[in-house]
Amino acid sequence: VNIAATQMSAWGTKVGALVADLTEMGKPGHMLNGRDTSSDKILVFSQWKEMLTIVAAALRSAKVPYEFCFDSKHFSPVNALML
């Protein structure tokens, strides 16, 4: 998946850069420290559920599969996206 600059800027530079990095890491044959990362699972944590909602929308528009994890039963909620 190649994310166009206009699509990235629609979400802002930080979210666009995050989606671009996550997309690159998921490509077959992507190497990090001599290891293929294409089958790795990635967790993106945030204190703010709203921020993860924005990132999720950007991932959805880039056709990157993800799961939204939210636990409101604890005093300190756990918010994460899993790719």
Side-chain angles (χ1 to χ4, degrees):
V1 176
N2 187 7
I3 301 170
T6 55
Q7 186 179 7
M8 283 182 23
S9 65
W11 302 106
T13 56
K14 291 178 181 157
V15 172
L18 175 63
V19 172
D21 287 347
L22 294 173
T23 302
E24 183 65 29
M25 290 180 71
K27 286 182 181 177
H30 182 266
M31 303 298 281
L32 181 65
N33 296 327
R35 193 176 56 78
D36 184 348
T37 63
S38 61
S39 64
D40 288 359
K41 299 295 180 205
I42 302 167
L43 289 175
V44 178
F45 289 95
S46 177
Q47 181 176 351
W48 301 282
K49 184 179 178 186
E50 294 81 14
M51 185 62 193
L52 290 177
T53 302
I54 293 167
V55 173
L59 290 169
R60 193 169 37 257
S61 75
K63 297 180 178 28
V64 176
Y66 68 91
E67 295 288 329
F68 196 98
C69 307
F70 177 71
D71 182 2
S72 61
K73 294 180 182 181
H74 296 94
F75 180 72
S76 298
V78 175
N79 300 313
L81 290 173
M82 182 175 67
L83 289 81

